[in-house]
């Protein structure tokens, strides 16, 4: 049941749209379509129409609060889906949201630290450097001389967010119950996922931890710089980190002036994305242009780590294989993977699904990024999935959003980028690392410390196994006439068990020698060969019986 405050919020949303001259959105709905002509007679028309349409849309989103601002930020990266004037204006939502007072920011910082600004910082600037939907940023200098930025959560923002999320949940429940596609699209789960990521942004200690983890992941990789976090000064509502100086990735003129290779920059952006998703399984999920900068040397620099994503091992595996099959135009494999992962119902006909995917995807190959729209592609795939009752995967929503952001960046930097050829070698290399001999030895190397701990226990385990076998043999001798055949089977089983234990021990010794000492690799292979022969004899004996 809808609550009174939610009803009031719905009225408020409509009032904001009317205030900013966006009444055509309200009157264009099915309910008000018969009286659409009345908008031309409305008294506010002359007052609100003085501002351009794009400006009115941006102002309305700012008035409606952080969730609507987030929505505008996502839309701003999709210049292929929006008119140029709206896309340009919505880009201001990335870091030009109206700030709150610097005096209030100072009070919030001192309350969080339980100390004065002057005792912790020099040159604190009360004028914000940037202001976004959840927080704003001020510059300062540490007592030790390092230049830093202080991120401060907006005051009293949590109740506003909870009110709007509650309204979204109510609408999602109605959609799931009454809409014919509600069960398949799972709007309630999608809203829950959105709620989780949104409220994670309110905890700046979590964001600081995300930044530290991402920084460690790229500590030996020059593609991405992550600012240093100053943990002693971080609290749930404030975060202090290194101040970076870079060119906004959307400022193409400045990038050209700095003689930065935009083609290489676009390719590196794709590589960073796939490295985060598949190598690290920890990716920046809010990579809109306001959060990405470029150093004068062409290195990416990221900020705002409130929304990070990760995938389960199964989703990661299926996703990588899907990408690779897609790049290789193996549409049958794409269809099979969707069924194997249960993203579509088990009874789906592979040949029909394959044909539908081919029809959507084939026209986009061998075309530069400027001629491809992932937005349009996803829309057509969505229509295709609707035919086959494909369920939305809430855990992949962040990844899809990030992929669209990456496409938007690539489109701005180098429209002729061949996305397929850039990504395909990375995925092929990753797949080889996950499957085959190299993956087998990597897994052994990963488990080696555990094996090393348990290795001394093996003689005791062997002794226990043989003792139990001998005890069983003694019991069988009490009934010699009746259990003669069973005794024979036990003897053979003992021999096989002993041979398998010896073979396993040789394999473990071989692995330890191979991993721990380069000088004993020949002995390692010799032990492997002996173990393989013994195992083959044991299996052959089993087959002969």
């Amino acid at each position: 049941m809808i609550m009174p405050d939610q009803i009031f919020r719905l009225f408020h949303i409509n009032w904001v749209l009317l205030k900013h001259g966006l009444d055509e959105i309200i009157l264009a709905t099915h309910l008000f379509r018969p009286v659409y002509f009345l908008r031309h007679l409305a008294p506010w028309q002359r007052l609100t129409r003085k501002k351009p349409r794009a400006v009115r849309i941006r102002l309305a989103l700012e008035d409606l609060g952080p969730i609507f601002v987030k929505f505008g930020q996502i839309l701003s990266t999709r210049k292929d889906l929006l008119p140029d004037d709206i896309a340009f204006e919505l880009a201001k939502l990335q870091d030009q949201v109206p700030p709150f007072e610097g005096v209030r920011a100072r009070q919030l910082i001192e309350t969080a630290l339980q100390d004065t600004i002057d005792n912790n910082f020099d040159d604190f600037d009360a004028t914000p450097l940037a202001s976004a939907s959840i927080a704003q940023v001020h510059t300062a200098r540490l007592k030790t001389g390092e230049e830093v930025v202080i991120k401060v959560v907006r005051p009293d923002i949590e109740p506003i967010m909870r009110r709007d999320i509650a309204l979204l949940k109510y609408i999602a429940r109605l959609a799931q119950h009454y809409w014919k596609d509600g069960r398949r699209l799972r709007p309630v789960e999608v809203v829950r996922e959105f709620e989780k990521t949104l409220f994670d942004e309110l905890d700046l200690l979590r964001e600081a931890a995300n930044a530290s983890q991402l920084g460690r992941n790229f500590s030996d990789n020059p593609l991405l710089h992550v600012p240093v976090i100053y943990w002693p000064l971080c609290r749930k509502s404030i975060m202090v980190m290194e101040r970076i100086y870079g060119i906004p990735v959307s400022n193409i003129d400045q990038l050209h002036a700095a003689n930065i290779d935009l083609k290489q920059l676009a390719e590196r952006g794709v590589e960073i994305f796939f490295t985060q998703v598949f190598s690290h399984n920890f990716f920046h999920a809010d990579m809109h242009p306001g959060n990405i900068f470029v150093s004068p040397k062409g290195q990416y620099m990221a900020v705002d780590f409130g929304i990070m994503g990760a995938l389960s091992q199964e989703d990661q595996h299926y996703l990588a294989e899907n990408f690779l099959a897609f790049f290789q135009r193996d549409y049958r494999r794409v269809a099979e993977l969707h069924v194997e992962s249960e993203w579509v119902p088990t009874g789906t006909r592979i040949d029909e699904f394959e044909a539908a995917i081919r029809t959507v995807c084939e026209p986009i190959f061998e075309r530069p990024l400027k001629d491809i729209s992932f937005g349009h592609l996803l829309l057509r795939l969505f229509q295709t999935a609707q035919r086959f009752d494909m369920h939305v995967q809430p855990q992949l929503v962040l990844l899809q959003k990030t992929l669209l952001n990456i496409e938007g960046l690539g489109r701005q930097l180098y429209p002729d980028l061949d996305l397929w050829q850039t990504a395909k070698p990375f995925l092929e290399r990753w797949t080889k690392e996950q499957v085959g001999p190299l993956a087998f030895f990597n897994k052994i190397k990963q488990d080696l410390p555990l094996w090393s701990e348990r290795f001394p226990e093996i003689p005791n385990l062997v002794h226990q196994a043989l003792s139990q076998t001998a005890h069983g043999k003694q019991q069988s001798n009490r009934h010699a006439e009746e259990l003669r055949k069973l005794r024979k089977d036990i003897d053979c089983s003992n021999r096989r068990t002993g041979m398998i234990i010896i073979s396993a021990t040789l394999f473990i010794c071989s692995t330890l020698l191979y991993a721990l000492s380069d000088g004993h690799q020949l002995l390692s292979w010799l032990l492997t060969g002996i173990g393989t022969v013994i195992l083959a004899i044991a299996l052959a004996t089993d087959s002969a019986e």
Side-chain angles (χ1 to χ4, degrees), residues 14-28 39 44-45 48-49 52-61 64:
N14 284 288
W15 163 247
V16 170
L17 294 176
L18 287 172
K19 184 178 75 169
H20 291 287
L22 299 173
D23 43 288
E24 63 263 34
I25 295 176
I26 303 170
L27 296 175
R39 63 185 289 268
W44 57 78
Q45 288 290 313
T48 58
R49 300 292 166 179
R53 172 189 60 173
V55 174
R56 287 184 278 125
I57 291 173
R58 175 179 62 80
L59 292 174
L61 293 175
L64 289 172

Side-chain angles (χ1 to χ4, degrees), residues 447-509:
D447 293 341
L448 197 57
L450 180 62
W451 287 9
S452 299
E453 289 178 11
R454 296 184 176 178
F455 186 74
E457 301 175 13
I458 290 178
N460 288 333
L461 293 174
V462 172
H463 179 266
Q464 290 175 14
L466 293 176
S467 297
Q468 290 172 3
T469 301
H471 181 66
K473 188 174 179 182
Q474 289 172 3
Q475 297 230 339
S476 68
N477 286 336
R478 296 176 187 175
H479 309 280
E481 292 296 328
E482 300 143 38
L483 304 176
R484 185 178 300 166
K485 187 177 181 304
L486 179 60
R487 184 174 60 189
K488 181 180 178 182
D489 291 341
I490 291 174
D491 289 340
C492 294
S493 176
N494 290 344
R495 287 196 297 272
R496 286 197 306 274
T497 302
M499 294 171 75
I500 291 172
I501 290 173
I502 292 170
S503 176
T505 304
L506 289 172
F507 280 137
I508 293 171
C509 292

Side-chain angles (χ1 to χ4, degrees), residues 249-425:
V249 73
S250 57
N251 196 326
I252 305 300
D253 292 337
Q254 281 192 35
L255 294 174
H256 277 302
N259 294 319
I260 291 173
D261 186 338
L262 297 189
K263 178 176 183 293
Q264 185 183 65
L265 193 65
E267 291 173 346
R268 286 177 175 174
V270 174
E271 185 176 350
I272 287 172
F273 169 74
F274 282 102
T275 299
Q276 289 181 90
V277 173
F278 294 109
S279 293
H280 303 154
N281 193 20
F282 187 72
F283 59 93
H284 193 306
D286 199 16
M287 295 185 70
H288 63 72
N291 288 338
I292 306 296
F293 299 85
V294 181
S295 75
K297 296 181 180 179
Q299 183 186 36
Y300 277 98
M301 309 170 82
V303 298
D304 197 347
F305 310 98
I307 305 179
M308 305 295 291
L311 302 175
S312 69
Q313 191 170 2
E314 291 78 12
D315 282 334
Q316 194 182 31
H317 172 75
Y318 281 121
L319 196 65
E321 285 207 49
N322 263 291
F323 272 123
L324 198 55
F326 180 70
F327 292 151
Q328 294 171 342
R329 306 195 200 187
D330 187 353
Y331 303 117
R332 185 169 188 82
R333 183 58 184 151
V334 173
E336 290 171 346
L337 285 164
H338 275 68
V339 174
E340 290 174 14
S341 62
E342 298 182 350
W343 293 348
V344 295
T346 308
T348 301
R349 285 189 54 176
I350 297 294
D351 56 339
E352 289 186 1
F353 196 33
E354 174 193 1
I357 294 171
R358 181 187 296 109
T359 303
V360 173
C361 298
E362 189 65 22
I364 72 172
F365 278 99
E366 297 179 359
R367 296 169 64 187
L369 191 57
K370 66 180 179 183
D371 297 330
I372 301 170
S373 167
F374 270 106
H376 293 149
L377 174 64
L378 287 176
L379 180 61
R380 292 194 62 193
L381 284 174
F382 175 82
Q383 293 167 345
T384 300
Q386 192 174 15
R387 277 181 52 204
F388 293 90
D389 196 28
M390 180 174 173
H391 289 205
V392 167
Q393 303 298 313
Q395 75 276 17
L396 300 181
V397 170
L398 274 181
L399 183 70
Q400 292 164 352
K401 168 183 174 288
T402 306
L403 184 58
L404 292 177
N405 283 340
I406 293 296
E407 183 208 357
L409 287 176
R411 189 183 300 279
Q412 290 181 21
L413 292 173
Y414 189 73
D416 291 320
L417 175 70
D418 190 333
L419 186 64
W420 323 120
Q421 292 305 314
T422 304
K424 185 179 175 182

